[in-house]
Amino acid sequence: MERIIGIDLGTTNSLCATVFDEGPEVIGEGENAVTPSVLSRIDSGWLVGQEAQKRRISNPENTVSSIKRLMGRDLEELGELVNELPYKIVEGDRKLLKVRIGVSEPYQDFTPQELSAEILKKVKQRAETALGESVEKAVITVPAYFDDAQRQATRAAATIAGLEVARIINEPTAAAIAYGLDEKQDLQKDGHVAVYDLGGGTFDISILKLSGKIFKVVATHGNTQLGGDDFDQALVEILKKRILQQHPQAHFEDPESKQILKKTAESIKIELSLSPETTYTLDFPKQGVSFTDNFKVEDFESLISPLVEQTLESCKHVLQQAKLSLAQIDEVVLVGGSTVVPGVRRKIETFFGRSPHVAIDPYKVVAIGAGIQGHLLAGGRRDFLLLDVIPLALGIETLGGTFSKIITGNTTIPVEESETFTTNVDDQTSIDVNIYQGERELIKDCRALGQFKLRGIPPMKGGFPLVEVMFRVDANGILTVSASEKRSGKKAEIEVIPFHGLTQFEIERIMEDSFENAIDDFNERQLIEFRLTAERVFQGIEHNWNVAESALTETERDKIRMQMEVVRQSIKGQDSQALKAQLDALGELTRPLADTAMGRSILTELQGESADS
Amino acid sequence: MAFDEPACHTCETTLVSRLFCFSCNALQPFPREIDFFEVLGFPVSFELKSAELEERYQQLSLELHPDFYGSAPEAEQLLSETASAILNTAYKTLHEPTLRAGYLLHLLAEKQQLDERSLPEGFLAEMFFLQEELDELLDSVNSVELSAMHDDLQNRKKDIEADYAPLFKKHEEHPEDSGILQQLQTHLNAERYLRRLLERIPVAD
Amino acid sequence: MAYSEKVIDHYSEPRNVGSLEKSDLNVGTGLVGAPECGDVMKLQIKVDPETKEIIDAKFKTFGCGSAIASSSLATEWVKGKSIDEAMSIQNTDIVEELSLPPVKIHCSVLAEDAIKAAISDYKSRNQD
């Protein structure tokens, strides 16, 4: 049986899982299990994950995070987010977003799909290393409220990464599977389950009906632009105000300052999940600004309260859609890193009037569910079935910018609906149809998915042809369209012009490019990684030289200095293994310092390297 | 409703559902004009036990869903996708009494000339009046009267729905009487106007 | 599907919304509905007793944008026409003018029916 892994491609972190003999579990151990969804550009390649994470402050212009929030979107839709992100975003053809790398010409621009593909490649590599086999297929999770364009973008990213997408499933549904099929959990096997999923950048609430072997999604609602990132951003705004009170000259527009603020906000958030108060220090060395203060958990909670309230509004809405009262919800499951925040958890508990299930690690539960679904798709089991819905209605533009629904929201997928079109004038051979997705009445409040150009309609009197257009939403929640003229029986041609996505041609071109680049990849990647390690080891040594002054003899210190020079020479060369050997030698020389902070940091750097490659 | 006794295309067992043979586990090719009762394997009738429908839907979903055809030949994958799609639509239609009534009437009235726009006497004028009244209530944000109107409309809708079963039963006993079908048509039409009004009233928390 | 300015206008700024005095003998009222969607439409015409020309028209529609635009267009068209001319307005004319998609054709039918109902109401009240 071939293996189909499950991948949780998150805003902040990505991880994968599969079903082992002992049961479903995340692939990889410790740091290797989680790949931060961060990339950093170096030479002609990317560093992904922990490596990139470390460069967020040292190299902010070239480091990209939270790409998931850009998937399938355009500049207008991102709104304020564009200014909050520490990297540059430009708009290309067809409103396609691109992330711009570099401080000056020549810039390099990348689509979110390409960037997500790099994360997926890293996850794939790590899975392959851990499993000792190649991985070709995956179930990838997306927020339930992702629309067609966002799903298409996710699938394109996987294709670029060389992964075949066996299925795209919704994150909350994946979580429900993980809980529902775990015998250790005392989740009721028949009843209504609410899955509250608050991640780094997205929020979803889904209601599922569990009966027998079937997990049926009844209704789903959410916000693909609301998550823990927004908590951080709210904190960042407060931090800025506080700093300005003491240092009116301080400014925060440069990428480095943005990254410093964001990182501090993140750690305050994490600290406050554990203790009622935390002290933080913000250093902006280039501005000569250093600022220390406290943050109380009450202040943090009132800060995020409006955001949490928004999620509860969604909860009310979804209950209405499901035609259920609060009393009819039998279980509540929490998913996503942001549900760890005590203030969030408390509010959910009050709203639903019951304590939620949290036994499965909210960071892992989605990946585990996806892994189980992958196992089912590979034929490993067939004792359960997931019936999911399309989150938002699909339809077409009609008169005066109004939206005509063809498939309503919360319809179980797969689903097919057909609609008959005709021509307005004699001998007209083509019809253009604009496709939208949303729940509002006007197309300006819905998302434009694309334009379908129906071609090859046999010439007839106006109004005479009957062009039947079939709208199909597959089990991935992705739309395909086909058409035929019923009087002639002729299949009409359909050209699809996506408004927010890559065309097939563009995907293929990116894949070709990355294939050409991949030839020297391995040596190059290692070279890049070892150079970085060297950089950090040097920093560690220089910062702590005073320790060396007191702990080492002059001879020992000279040896270190000489070895540093050797490493510097190796950095300029192209031989990754030689560089590695020289670095290890440097590590040996600093071993007498192993008990000091300096020694520890150097050794961690070197060990981190060998564990990962 | 092409055949009375559809049989499996491989093992020739009589089929419960036209989509799948439970005795040899084979997906069945099906005609596009298949009706929803054939899809779920129930006689063409308004009487349908909710629990039985639910059970059949689950049973069929567990056989037809594309998730179980991941490594099957492409033609089978495609068939499972279309079969699941029609199963979902059929279930949704038959599960909801108003949709079921409308669909069944459409099947039964195929050869009959029904007045598709018929309404009770004076009904349209009343609906227009209620729409205007609702406009005023919405403007004045009068929640007490709004909820009174909501309850009233809801009750009228329920009264109509309660008539479907006896009327369809009457039709089964007197299939020649097209007046019964016309009456059903009138009911369905009236219900749609009531639903339209109800949709405009915001639901209170 | 680019709609002409005129069409969008009928949607965003419908003309002739309102009522005419129902008891006026020169006024004809048509009330119609679309059971497909539950839309209701009232269309009124005022006829010059001498020339038998429609001198004013008003409508009120509870329904989707297409139904509103169709009735707005219908009132514009009947004004200045004789009763017989107005009788000949077809729903297909409205479909073409507003480029209504198939799902919305019943809205144009509604407008045509409303014109006919208003005229027949006027006629029935003015049978001498």
Side-chain angles (χ1 to χ4, degrees):
Chain A
M1 192 183 73
E2 65 173 341
R3 190 189 293 276
I4 301 178
I5 63 165
I7 301 180
D8 172 5
L9 180 60
T11 310
T12 326
N13 289 304
S14 297
L15 55 170
C16 60
T18 191
V19 177
F20 295 97
D21 292 340
E22 308 77 44
E25 193 43 77
V26 161
I27 304 171
E29 277 171 23
E31 234 196 9
N32 278 323
V34 181
T35 304
S37 304
V38 183
L39 306 95
S40 194
R41 187 74 178 166
I42 182 156
D43 300 334
S44 59
W46 290 103
L47 289 172
V48 182
Q50 281 84 359
E51 285 298 316
Q53 181 87 302
K54 288 173 190 155
R55 286 172 36 111
R56 272 173 61 183
I57 292 188
S58 65
N59 206 330
E61 302 83 6
N62 297 324
T63 305
V64 185
S65 56
S66 298
I67 308 142
K68 193 172 178 180
R69 305 190 84 166
L70 312 182
M71 295 288 270
R73 307 249 119 199
D74 65 35
L75 210 52
E76 203 184 321
E77 290 163 333
L78 290 183
E80 263 305 291
L81 184 63
V82 177
N83 304 321
E84 293 167 12
L85 292 170
Y87 46 89
K88 278 193 228 68
I89 295 173
V90 292
E91 201 165 45
D93 295 344
R94 296 198 329 275
K95 292 164 108 187
L96 216 59
L97 278 185
K98 293 199 171 172
V99 171
R100 174 157 287 180
I101 297 294
V103 276
S104 60
E105 297 267 14
Y107 299 113
Q108 289 173 293
D109 295 343
F110 300 93
T111 61
Q113 287 89 330
E114 289 169 83
L115 299 174
S116 284
E118 292 299 327
I119 297 171
L120 285 170
K121 275 183 204 166
K122 180 79 174 184
V123 173
K124 178 176 185 274
Q125 278 170 15
R126 286 184 154 185
E128 286 173 338
T129 311
L131 297 168
E133 63 187 48
S134 82
V135 169
E136 310 292 336
K137 287 186 173 183
V139 170
I140 300 183
T141 61
V142 295
Y145 224 52
F146 252 25
D147 63 31
D148 192 76
Q150 292 168 304
R151 282 165 203 265
Q152 298 265 22
T154 306
R155 194 164 62 173
T159 311
I160 294 168
L163 273 169
E164 189 186 320
V165 180
R167 181 74 78 233
I168 287 179
I169 64 169
N170 295 328
E171 287 156 12
T173 325
I177 292 176
Y179 271 97
L181 295 176
D182 187 339
E183 293 306 322
K184 294 189 295 297
Q185 306 300 324
D186 55 350
L187 196 79
Q188 258 178 274
K189 297 292 181 276
D190 283 282
H192 288 109
V193 181
V195 185
Y196 180 104
D197 179 0
L198 188 61
T202 60
F203 167 70
D204 278 314
I205 174 79
S206 293
I207 307 235
L208 285 96
K209 190 178 168 210
L210 270 54
S211 56
K213 296 174 174 177
I214 296 201
F215 294 69
K216 188 172 196 286
V217 179
V218 187
T220 186
H221 198 262
N223 185 342
T224 54
Q225 301 291 320
L226 173 68
D229 275 7
D230 299 290
F231 296 180
D232 301 341
Q233 191 54 36
L235 267 171
V236 164
E237 295 305 322
I238 297 280
L239 296 180
K240 281 191 201 168
K241 270 188 210 146
R242 289 185 177 183
I243 298 168
L244 283 172
Q245 274 174 4
Q246 232 180 70
H247 305 274
Q249 81 286 7
H251 54 90
F252 314 108
E253 296 71 36
D254 58 301
E256 189 186 339
S257 302
K258 282 184 182 175
Q259 293 279 21
I260 292 172
L261 284 163
K262 185 154 170 48
K263 257 197 119 159
T264 309
E266 282 168 17
S267 48
I268 292 176
K269 182 176 71 178
I270 294 165
E271 281 301 315
L272 291 179
S273 292
L274 307 166
S275 52
E277 192 172 354
T278 183
T279 306
Y280 61 92
T281 301
L282 281 150
D283 282 315
F284 301 94
K286 285 181 191 153
Q287 301 183 41
V289 169
S290 180
F291 179 83
T292 304
D293 201 359
N294 292 334
F295 219 105
K296 287 198 178 69
V297 75
E298 304 95 86
D299 295 336
F300 175 62
E301 285 178 4
S302 58
L303 186 66
I304 62 168
S305 172
L307 296 167
V308 183
E309 285 302 325
Q310 271 189 52
T311 67
L312 298 181
E313 281 305 313
S314 276
C315 294
K316 284 182 197 161
H317 195 92
V318 83
L319 284 168
Q320 247 176 48
Q321 287 177 322
K323 298 193 177 81
L324 292 170
S325 67
L326 267 172
Q328 286 170 287
I329 300 298
D330 302 295
E331 306 278 4
V332 178
V333 167
L334 296 192
V335 188
S338 303
T339 59
V340 176
V341 175
V344 174
R345 194 167 284 187
R346 230 176 17 249
K347 284 207 164 194
I348 304 167
E349 217 170 307
T350 315
F351 179 84
F352 284 101
R354 65 180 63 246
S355 47
H357 287 264
V358 290
I360 307 183
D361 185 341
Y363 291 100
K364 290 180 176 177
V365 66
V366 169
I368 289 175
I372 300 174
Q373 177 71 10
H375 190 51
L376 174 99
L377 289 172
R381 63 194 294 175
R382 55 173 304 147
D383 59 341
F384 78 95
L385 173 64
L386 161 64
L387 291 173
D388 221 319
V389 297
I390 169 172
L392 298 155
L394 274 169
I396 53 168
E397 177 182 3
T398 58
L399 172 76
T402 52
F403 176 58
S404 263
K405 290 178 185 175
I406 289 178
I407 297 170
T408 54
N410 289 322
T411 299
T412 307
I413 49 176
V415 63
E416 285 183 4
E417 287 291 340
S418 64
E419 189 65 64
T420 310
F421 292 84
T422 191
T423 52
N424 289 324
V425 293
D426 294 352
D427 298 332
Q428 184 181 336
T429 56
S430 71
I431 303 174
D432 293 350
V433 182
N434 289 333
I435 311 286
Y436 285 80
Q437 187 166 24
E439 289 295 331
R440 305 281 294 278
E441 289 205 359
L442 299 177
I443 50 146
K444 70 174 175 62
D445 303 317
C446 296
R447 300 215 63 216
L449 295 183
Q451 187 177 62
F452 295 86
K453 289 178 178 296
L454 303 172
R455 301 252 183 272
I457 299 166
M460 282 184 246
K461 206 173 150 353
F464 195 69
L466 295 174
V467 185
E468 188 180 55
V469 180
M470 182 72 90
F471 296 81
R472 238 183 235 111
V473 179
D474 65 14
N476 302 309
I478 288 180
L479 172 73
T480 50
V481 181
S482 62
S484 60
E485 200 290 307
K486 284 176 82 179
R487 291 191 200 275
S488 62
K490 211 177 155 213
K491 214 170 137 63
E493 292 160 34
I494 289 198
E495 187 195 340
V496 185
I497 304 164
F499 284 160
H500 293 92
L502 299 172
T503 60
Q504 196 53 41
F505 177 76
E506 286 166 322
I507 294 172
E508 279 162 21
R509 208 207 58 231
I510 292 169
M511 286 175 74
E512 276 167 23
D513 285 356
S514 80
F515 185 72
E516 278 166 24
N517 287 338
I519 296 168
D520 285 323
D521 237 351
F522 188 70
N523 183 42
E524 207 168 307
R525 192 175 288 274
Q526 291 228 305
L527 205 53
I528 290 166
E529 285 174 12
F530 295 150
R531 280 174 184 162
L532 272 168
T533 309
E535 214 176 274
R536 281 194 307 271
V537 169
F538 284 3
Q539 268 173 22
I541 294 174
E542 273 150 22
H543 278 176
N544 299 289
W545 192 246
N546 56 335
V547 182
E549 296 273 359
S550 56
L552 300 179
T553 65
E554 170 115 33
T555 333
E556 284 171 317
R557 289 202 298 271
D558 283 345
K559 274 188 181 162
I560 291 180
R561 282 213 188 86
M562 275 161 65
Q563 186 58 28
M564 281 169 78
E565 198 43 50
V566 175
V567 173
R568 275 198 193 96
Q569 291 306 318
S570 280
I571 287 175
K572 293 177 190 152
Q574 292 299 320
D575 187 343
S576 62
Q577 291 315 307
L579 174 56
K580 172 77 176 145
Q582 300 304 344
L583 261 177
D584 285 344
L586 181 60
E588 272 311 308
L589 290 174
T590 60
R591 197 165 281 278
L593 296 170
D595 290 339
T596 67
M598 167 186 172
R600 271 200 302 276
S601 82
I602 295 166
L603 288 175
T604 325
E605 293 299 348
L606 289 170
Q607 276 160 6
E609 217 40 70
S610 50
D612 201 33
S613 43
Chain B
M1 290 177 284
F3 307 99
D4 288 330
E5 292 254 305
C8 172
H9 77 290
T10 45
C11 76
E12 292 178 8
T13 313
T14 306
L15 291 174
V16 177
S17 158
R18 286 286 299 274
L19 302 184
F20 188 79
C21 174
F22 284 108
S23 88
C24 72
N25 290 334
L27 283 172
Q28 303 291 311
F30 58 90
R32 277 203 61 184
E33 61 276 16
I34 183 170
D35 80 54
F36 294 161
F37 291 94
E38 288 179 294
V39 165
L40 283 145
F42 286 102
V44 182
S45 163
F46 187 76
E47 292 294 318
L48 198 53
K49 289 211 176 61
S50 180
E52 283 175 23
L53 178 69
E54 187 72 37
E55 197 192 327
R56 183 66 53 76
Y57 171 64
Q58 293 199 3
Q59 207 184 357
L60 282 166
S61 291
L62 283 165
E63 300 296 346
L64 297 175
H65 198 275
D67 279 3
F68 303 120
Y69 294 85
S71 42
E74 205 175 317
E76 240 175 276
Q77 285 187 18
L78 209 67
L79 186 57
S80 106
E81 193 99 27
T82 7
S84 293
I86 196 161
L87 174 67
N88 286 331
T89 312
Y91 169 75
K92 192 180 170 187
T93 310
L94 299 190
H95 171 74
E96 216 262 302
T98 306
L99 290 177
R100 180 162 81 236
Y103 181 74
L104 181 57
L105 181 65
H106 158 82
L107 285 184
L108 296 175
E110 219 168 14
K111 289 173 205 80
Q112 315 227 18
Q113 288 295 326
L114 292 185
D115 173 7
E116 288 181 2
R117 312 175 79 86
S118 64
L119 283 172
E121 188 66 33
F123 185 81
L124 203 57
E126 192 201 354
M127 288 301 111
F128 191 84
F129 174 76
L130 287 175
Q131 288 279 11
E132 284 191 310
E133 195 178 78
L134 180 56
D135 264 1
E136 281 168 30
L137 290 180
L138 288 171
D139 280 346
S140 66
V141 207
N142 189 332
S143 60
V144 178
E145 284 192 45
L146 267 178
S147 78
M149 185 175 199
H150 180 269
D151 294 350
D152 181 49
L153 291 168
Q154 196 71 46
N155 286 336
R156 287 178 67 175
K157 188 168 160 277
K158 275 191 191 135
D159 286 347
I160 290 180
E161 280 167 3
D163 270 353
Y164 291 141
L167 279 172
F168 276 114
K169 197 162 172 53
K170 216 163 125 193
H171 173 263
E172 272 170 37
E173 287 155 10
H174 308 279
E176 72 294 341
D177 184 354
S178 69
I180 300 167
L181 292 182
Q182 187 63 61
Q183 218 177 327
L184 276 161
Q185 180 75 64
T186 308
H187 269 53
L188 278 160
N189 289 347
E191 190 182 345
R192 220 160 293 141
Y193 287 93
L194 293 173
R195 208 160 49 213
R196 187 62 186 251
L197 275 163
L198 281 164
E199 278 167 11
R200 291 188 63 205
I201 304 176
V203 188
D205 291 331
Chain C
M1 265 192 291
Y3 294 111
S4 67
E5 286 299 313
K6 186 168 55 186
V7 172
I8 293 168
D9 225 38
H10 274 292
Y11 175 75
S12 55
E13 278 175 57
R15 327 284 155 64
N16 311 317
V17 178
S19 292
L20 296 171
E21 183 48 54
K22 219 178 163 176
S23 56
D24 185 341
L25 213 55
N26 296 320
V27 169
T29 303
L31 183 63
V32 292
E36 295 88 345
C37 54
D39 286 359
V40 256
M41 180 184 291
K42 184 182 81 174
L43 190 146
Q44 294 178 301
I45 52 167
K46 187 171 186 174
V47 181
D48 185 319
E50 301 302 317
T51 60
K52 297 286 173 201
E53 190 182 276
I54 299 174
I55 50 174
D56 199 5
K58 296 274 183 211
F59 81 93
K60 190 155 187 189
T61 294
F62 293 97
C64 66
S66 305
I68 292 168
S70 296
S71 26
S72 170
L73 184 68
T75 51
E76 282 284 280
W77 276 356
V78 295
K79 274 202 266 181
K81 283 200 167 65
S82 73
I83 286 176
D84 290 340
E85 281 167 350
M87 256 331 241
S88 69
I89 293 173
Q90 298 277 314
N91 84 293
T92 46
D93 303 335
I94 297 169
V95 172
E96 197 173 319
E97 182 72 13
L98 297 180
S99 39
L100 290 179
V103 271
K104 294 292 173 185
I105 285 176
H106 67 266
C107 299
S108 66
V109 176
L110 205 58
E112 182 193 324
D113 289 352
I115 298 174
K116 297 212 156 79
I119 293 173
S120 88
D121 178 57
Y122 169 80
K123 280 184 174 164
S124 71
R125 300 171 59 190
N126 287 276
Q127 284 168 340
D128 311 304

